[in-house]
Amino acid sequence: MTVILLRHGVSTSNVAGTLAGRSPGVDLTDRGRDQAQAVADRLAALPIEHIVHSPLQRCVQTVTPLAGKLGLEPVPEPRLLEVDYGQWTGRPIRELLGEPLWRVVQQHASGAVFPDGEGLAQVQFRAVAAVRELDHRFAADAGRDVLWVACTHGDVIKSILADAFAIHLDGFQRFAVEPASISVVRYAPTGPSVWRVNDTGTDLSALAAKPEQHSGQAAAPIPGGEIPTGDDATESGPDTDNGNADRPDSPS
């Protein structure tokens, strides 16, 4: 019983530097569509039997090429939706850096609840429940192990990985989950085992040192599960009190 956790490709919100959340009309960029095709080419040789996905458009677009190659009908799963960021939805990341909640998300994720939205602990509960339930159902229906794909969002995948690694949700920011990456969890009666994390195949561009890393400091992850890279990331991470916060260029 093995699930491939696939994050959607680069979206228009990633490029715009906004926190997409559940905003409608967020498409993949040209690069994101190329990533979706590359994922399809990479995974099509595997005996994948089911594809489920967050109902949001960027996830639908990400799984479409793979579903076409495999001849499968993707199934939306509401419990894999992006975090409901409430009043933060659609806002530029730079506007959020000074919010007191920003530091909570970084250091105490289990206590973070977005204004008029949901808490990250709620996200983990629904996402893990969905993946474990679907995994059990697919295996029971087939009477054997099943390989399947769940396409969702950065923070959702990170929360599932935290559960699989048996670490507290407060540590989930230690995972990197890039657009179009795959992470793999195999579930067994005695517990899960993690086979891949943030696997981007031959695309290793995120490993190149950025200017802010030459000092030995790297910007921290942000809501949405993005990895700060490029010129928009600064040296000090999420410390907004001194005005030197991380400024990611492509939130979820």
Side-chain angles (χ1 to χ4, degrees), residues 148-165:
W148 60 289
V149 169
C151 181
T152 181
H153 308 270
D155 280 346
V156 178
I157 293 174
K158 287 160 64 175
S159 72
I160 296 169
L161 289 173
D163 171 77
F165 273 108

Side-chain angles (χ1 to χ4, degrees), residues 22-107:
R22 299 179 180 180
S23 300
V26 177
D27 294 320
L28 295 185
T29 62
D30 287 343
R31 181 186 175 202
R33 286 187 285 272
D34 288 344
Q35 289 175 323
Q37 186 60 57
V39 166
D41 294 340
R42 184 181 179 200
L43 299 183
L46 296 174
I48 294 167
E49 299 185 47
H50 301 275
I51 299 174
V52 300
H53 60 87
S54 160
L56 294 179
Q57 188 165 316
R58 54 195 183 274
C59 289
V60 174
Q61 293 172 327
T62 297
V63 300
T64 295
L66 178 62
K69 281 182 172 288
L70 296 175
L72 296 175
E73 184 67 30
V75 177
E77 172 50 67
R79 290 175 293 178
L80 295 180
L81 266 170
E82 174 64 292
V83 180
D84 181 356
Y85 292 112
Q87 294 178 18
W88 280 29
T89 301
R91 291 178 60 187
I93 293 296
R94 288 177 179 82
E95 291 183 3
L96 300 174
L97 297 178
E99 298 280 356
L101 181 60
W102 185 275
R103 189 186 296 271
V104 179
V105 172
Q106 299 296 331
Q107 300 177 2

Side-chain angles (χ1 to χ4, degrees), residues 1-2 132 135-136 139-140 144-146 185-193:
M1 295 82 76
T2 304
R132 287 178 176 265
D135 190 76
H136 178 76
R144 53 176 168 74
D145 287 356
V146 172
V185 180
R186 178 165 291 175
Y187 289 95
T190 55
S193 57

Side-chain angles (χ1 to χ4, degrees), residues 18 21 39 54 86 154 183 191 195 200 236 246:
T18 58
V39 166
S54 160
S183 298
W195 286 57
T200 57
S236 66
D246 53 316

